[in-house]
Amino acid sequence: MSVLGVLAGILTTGCWLPQLARSWRTRSVGDISWVYLLALASGVALWVVYGATQGDLPIVLTNAATGAALVTLTVMKARYRLAAPVSGPGSPA
């Protein structure tokens, strides 16, 4: 079962790499909502706690890695939002 857990964790954690790379390259994370990030990060944190209480290292490690990816994405979202030029009605041209 441990191999199955590690494989599942690698796949679900690794799926964040293309999103992180794209966000880094385009400097755009506007389509990712704050509510989504908060809900997912909360769920991932609970999985880390659950894995720790069960002594399940694959759950702890893979969810901790996913949490690190989410923190990185959250920092990107905050940083790119602050650096983005303001445009729209009432803004200088």
Side-chain angles (χ1 to χ4, degrees), residues 20 29 34 37-38 41 69-79:
L20 288 171
V29 287
W34 286 108
L37 288 172
L38 179 62
L70 286 169
V71 167
T72 302
L73 201 56
T74 300
V75 168
M76 284 182 188
K77 184 164 178 69
R79 182 174 291 167

Side-chain angles (χ1 to χ4, degrees), residues 44-59:
V44 167
L46 290 173
W47 273 113
V48 170
V49 171
Y50 173 79
T53 62
Q54 298 300 307
D56 194 328
L57 194 57
I59 288 177

Side-chain angles (χ1 to χ4, degrees), residues 2-28:
S2 186
V3 172
L4 184 62
V6 170
L7 181 58
I10 288 170
L11 291 172
T12 58
T13 300
C15 76
W16 284 98
L17 295 177
Q19 182 63 53
L20 288 171
R22 181 182 182 282
S23 296
W24 179 266
R25 188 177 59 256
T26 64
R27 303 289 192 258
S28 174

Side-chain angles (χ1 to χ4, degrees), residues 27 77-87:
R27 303 289 192 258
K77 184 164 178 69
R79 182 174 291 167
Y80 297 157
R81 185 185 74 160
L82 293 175
V86 177
S87 62

